[in-house]
Amino acid sequence: MIVVCSGPYGLEEAMKTLKNGGSAIDAVEAGCRAVESDLRDTGVGLGGAPNILGVVELDAQIMDGKTLNAGMVGCVSGYEHPISIARCVMEKLLHVFLVGKGAERFASEMGFEKTELLTDSMREIWLKRLCEEIGVADPAALEAHPELWRMSKWATDPYKMGTVNYLVQDANGDICSGVSTSGWGWKYPGRLGDSPVLGAGGYADNRYGAAACTGAGEMAIRVGSARSVVVYMKMGLGIEQAVREALRDLNDLHDQRIGGVNVLALDKDGNHLVGNSGDSPPSHWYMTPDMTEPAQKVGICEPYKKG
Ligand code: ASP
């Protein structure tokens, strides 16, 4: 049994779920829910970063590595736990991906409570960015702005991101991946990053392992980072080589490079590693049943060389 996470929060909840007999899916959901409710993380769930109009739009995905079934939601406003809505999509629908109004309607049908996601402190950060750094005179007038795309491009570049990845293997050896985020702060309304996109932001397959990403989602979408790690492992590469290949794929994107991507991986034997497509080795956190608190592990990087 192992819990692997991109950040330090929620691992105890995920491990407790496994120790109480829960599945990898239960543990991924428990870990992500803890982060979604944790105000210390301002890139996920409640207190997450808003879009350019000040609306917090959440994205999430979950994948069951045993069945390869999955659920994804994007641009969900007013619900604190997109990971749980994604799980309901996976378990209750024939579809795998719902966005916007349809996802919110489904959340309501599933009995999820409506919540205001924009906290006062994040509202202040949103206003400061717009008014003091971008020079917007009247944020309320942005709603009708004819060139919102320009404002959003200025405001997002190279602004705030944050996402949680969970990769879990349970006592049966089943693997599950989960991702939850408020996406890129000050993004254009309706923008989806990699986090809700299966194969880009996350992927799990019991036979080989799982992977998930944080960072510049536009890049991870373009090369399908998470699934490529799993496929590289399928083709016989060890976890480190598989992650390095995925980082090299990211580094072969020479235009519209908007930042680095962290790729977190777990193989079917419980080995785990994170890599970054830039200059600084990232860290991730993990917990096994014998541990009383999560431990941090430093990963690898593949620096970008301009081609
Ligand atoms: N990958 C996320 C996105 O592009 C952001 C992040 O990980 O910080 O929405």
Side-chain angles (χ1 to χ4, degrees):
M1 287 199 283
I2 187 160
V3 170
V4 176
C5 181
S6 54
Y9 306 132
L11 286 99
E12 287 93 341
E13 283 86 345
M15 183 46 76
K16 196 168 144 207
T17 304
L18 287 183
K19 283 185 171 174
N20 287 341
S23 67
I25 300 171
D26 296 330
V28 162
E29 185 182 14
C32 288
R33 282 179 68 96
V35 183
E36 286 168 346
S37 295
D38 194 327
L39 292 175
R40 289 172 298 178
D41 193 319
T42 56
V44 178
L46 186 68
N51 68 16
I52 181 85
L53 297 175
V55 179
V56 182
E57 292 178 333
L58 302 180
D59 306 326
Q61 66 162 290
I62 191 163
M63 183 166 193
D64 174 4
K66 184 178 177 186
T67 60
L68 304 189
N69 201 358
M72 295 92 83
V73 291
C75 284
V76 177
S77 277
Y79 291 92
E80 187 173 332
H81 294 299
I83 195 70
S84 298
I85 308 171
R87 181 174 181 175
C88 286
V89 170
M90 173 168 82
E91 292 177 346
K92 309 255 190 238
L93 291 180
L94 295 175
H95 309 313
V96 295
F97 205 166
L98 294 180
V99 298
K101 295 262 170 294
E104 289 159 19
R105 175 184 173 134
F106 177 69
S108 156
E109 288 180 19
M110 291 294 112
F112 292 101
E113 297 255 313
K114 282 218 89 169
T115 322
E116 173 54 63
L117 299 170
L118 186 66
T119 54
D120 290 344
S121 54
M122 184 52 79
R123 188 167 189 282
E124 264 177 44
I125 297 171
W126 169 70
L127 281 174
K128 184 164 181 271
R129 173 75 178 156
L130 285 182
C131 304
E132 292 174 26
E133 297 170 26
I134 305 298
V136 172
D138 179 9
L142 281 181
E143 190 73 51
H145 197 292
E147 290 200 322
L148 189 65
W149 70 273
R150 279 191 208 284
M151 311 304 294
S152 173
K153 203 170 169 191
W154 290 327
T156 50
D157 181 25
Y159 221 52
K160 197 173 171 339
M161 296 200 191
T163 295
V164 65
N165 298 158
Y166 264 95
L167 305 177
V168 173
Q169 186 172 43
D170 65 23
N172 296 325
D174 291 331
I175 296 176
C176 178
S177 58
V179 183
S180 183
T181 189
S182 56
W184 203 351
W186 293 251
K187 63 193 173 185
Y188 195 89
R191 174 265 187 189
L192 295 177
D194 59 323
S195 305
V197 177
L198 199 71
Y203 200 80
D205 185 330
N206 270 7
R207 297 170 297 174
Y208 316 110
C213 303
T214 58
E218 279 72 3
M219 293 171 61
I221 289 174
R222 289 163 68 195
V223 292
S225 295
R227 174 143 159 84
S228 71
V229 171
V230 174
V231 171
Y232 288 135
M233 292 196 286
K234 172 178 180 173
M235 300 312 283
L237 297 191
I239 187 168
E240 181 174 343
Q241 284 314 312
V243 169
R244 283 198 188 278
E245 269 317 309
L247 297 175
R248 287 187 200 119
D249 292 340
L250 285 156
N251 282 341
D252 282 340
L253 299 173
H254 293 297
D255 72 326
Q256 295 261 23
R257 290 183 56 85
I258 51 176
V261 174
N262 288 345
V263 179
L264 178 66
L266 169 71
D267 73 15
K268 64 174 180 5
D269 302 317
N271 301 300
H272 47 97
L273 179 75
V274 66
N276 174 261
S277 63
D279 297 331
S280 46
S283 294
H284 73 279
W285 281 257
Y286 66 98
M287 220 174 153
T288 49
D290 49 309
M291 293 165 66
T292 52
E293 56 183 42
Q296 188 174 4
K297 182 177 171 190
V298 177
I300 57 168
C301 62
E302 274 288 322
Y304 172 64
K305 297 179 200 76
K306 201 162 169 42

